[in-house]
Amino acid sequence: MFKNEWNEVRSGWLILGAFVIVLVGQIMFTLPGMTFLNLIEMAGRHNDTPNVFLQSPFTILFTQGAGTFGGIAATFIAYRTINKKNPNKMYVQGRASDLWTGLILGALSITILFVFLYSTNQIVLINPISEPNITSALFVYFILFILVSLFEEILFRGYVMNTMRAKHNKKAVIYIVSALLFTFAHVFNPNIAILGLINIFLIGLLFAYMFDRTRSLLMPIGFHFTWNFFQGSIFGFPVSGLDPHGLYKIDVTTDLPLLTGGSFGLEASILTTIIIGINFIIVKMYTKQHMRTL
């Protein structure tokens, strides 16, 4: 039950232990910010005056951002203490070209989806192209989406996939488990949609494929970041069901959630399913000449 045929602790137990450490790390880093904000809120109620700081998007960095950073740190600690390996072996490092390719593919994918929906009158812009809504939220979510992409790729691809590979799991199983855990992490997001979960699973497979083909987390990290940032902070779509804070605000003009993704965002669109498939082909072509599989 606990050990495989090579008399090694099964990868599932290692991953479970790591997830516990990550959860504790997130809580430890989130609590100070939450406590500080609660104290400010209590003081404001006592004085019967609203606190401007509590209404600032920067509060997100003190809570969610701090918790995400704690998750990153805890993942490295878990790899060192549970796996007893150097965290560098999770392959966070790599070629700059892989990072840039991921960044471009993520941004281009979302831009194509936006242009298609806009040009076919599925959505309209509330504020004109010439009048972007530039606020402090743009900077806050830029930092937050960097942290999120780092955390989720280091955990679900760097930790999970390397741990399973070291325990002699088959490649197909490694891909599927990594993508399933990634999907489960989004199950409790607001406005959940079945197609959204399917696409998150598929994009989890895409990230696993990127990691496998390049032997580096840089491409999936880059893609993950610009996918979220362009979706929510540029074009104003919900990101996996979460409220957007974009340069532009959109209004869905048709009752076709299969195309627009509805309140869950583009990840619940059938168009995203197609885009993910196209990205598999692009990644295969990109890595054909210099593939370095796990």
Side-chain angles (χ1 to χ4, degrees):
M1 178 179 178
F2 293 101
K3 292 189 176 182
N4 59 22
E5 58 186 287
W6 291 275
N7 201 34
E8 301 169 328
V9 177
R10 294 184 183 275
S11 56
W13 294 110
L14 299 180
I15 292 170
L16 178 61
F19 275 43
V20 171
I21 291 176
V22 167
L23 179 61
V24 171
Q26 288 182 290
I27 292 173
M28 288 178 61
F29 276 73
T30 303
L31 274 178
M34 290 294 295
T35 302
F36 176 65
L37 294 177
N38 285 334
L39 289 174
I40 292 178
E41 185 177 10
M42 290 172 61
R45 289 176 181 175
H46 180 73
N47 296 329
D48 199 28
T49 57
N51 192 291
V52 176
F53 179 73
L54 290 176
Q55 301 172 5
S56 168
F58 284 95
T59 57
I60 297 172
L61 292 181
F62 286 97
T63 53
Q64 187 176 346
T68 305
F69 180 81
I72 295 171
T75 305
F76 283 118
I77 291 172
Y79 202 68
R80 171 71 76 179
T81 57
I82 295 180
N83 297 59
K84 301 186 186 306
K85 292 184 178 181
N86 189 327
N88 287 335
K89 295 300 182 179
M90 286 194 288
Y91 302 104
V92 179
Q93 69 280 7
R95 294 183 296 253
S97 59
D98 292 342
L99 176 62
W100 280 108
T101 300
L103 290 168
I104 292 170
L105 286 177
L108 188 60
S109 295
I110 292 298
T111 302
I112 290 172
L113 292 173
F114 168 79
V115 170
F116 177 84
L117 293 173
Y118 182 72
S119 62
T120 56
N121 297 317
Q122 305 298 319
I123 59 172
V124 294
L125 288 174
I126 295 177
N127 54 316
I129 291 285
S130 59
E131 299 178 13
N133 183 32
I134 301 175
T135 66
S136 58
L138 184 68
F139 171 77
V140 167
Y141 279 90
F142 179 84
I143 300 299
L144 183 62
F145 284 139
I146 288 177
L147 291 172
V148 168
S149 60
L150 283 169
F151 171 50
E152 294 186 351
E153 295 313 310
I154 290 171
L155 177 61
F156 295 111
R157 257 59 67 180
Y159 184 88
V160 170
M161 291 184 68
N162 278 309
T163 298
M164 294 186 69
R165 178 183 63 85
K167 299 302 179 181
H168 315 287
N169 288 277
K170 294 181 179 179
K171 184 178 290 188
V173 175
I174 296 174
Y175 273 45
I176 291 170
V177 170
S178 171
L180 281 175
L181 291 173
F182 180 62
T183 304
F184 183 76
H186 296 80
V187 163
F188 300 104
N189 283 23
N191 306 312
I192 195 68
I194 297 300
L195 183 55
L197 290 178
I198 293 173
N199 281 337
I200 289 174
F201 175 76
L202 292 177
I203 206 166
L205 291 178
L206 176 63
F207 290 154
Y209 185 64
M210 290 176 173
F211 180 41
D212 185 21
R213 297 280 291 193
T214 64
R215 204 180 179 107
S216 168
L217 289 171
L218 292 186
M219 184 183 289
I221 286 172
F223 189 107
H224 198 154
F225 165 66
T226 51
W227 176 274
N228 284 345
F229 185 71
F230 272 70
Q231 186 176 185
S233 295
I234 301 298
F235 297 123
F237 290 96
V239 180
S240 301
L242 302 175
D243 291 336
H245 299 271
L247 288 177
Y248 299 100
K249 293 183 178 181
I250 62 166
D251 185 29
V252 178
T253 57
T254 61
D255 187 22
L256 292 173
L258 187 64
L259 286 180
T260 64
S263 56
F264 190 74
L266 290 176
E267 284 153 356
S269 168
I270 192 65
L271 300 175
T272 295
T273 312
I274 297 170
I275 285 290
I276 293 171
I278 293 172
N279 274 291
F280 269 104
I281 298 171
I282 294 173
V283 172
K284 182 177 182 179
M285 293 173 59
Y286 169 82
T287 58
K288 190 174 182 179
Q289 301 300 321
H290 45 266
M291 185 177 76
R292 298 178 295 172
T293 56
L294 290 173

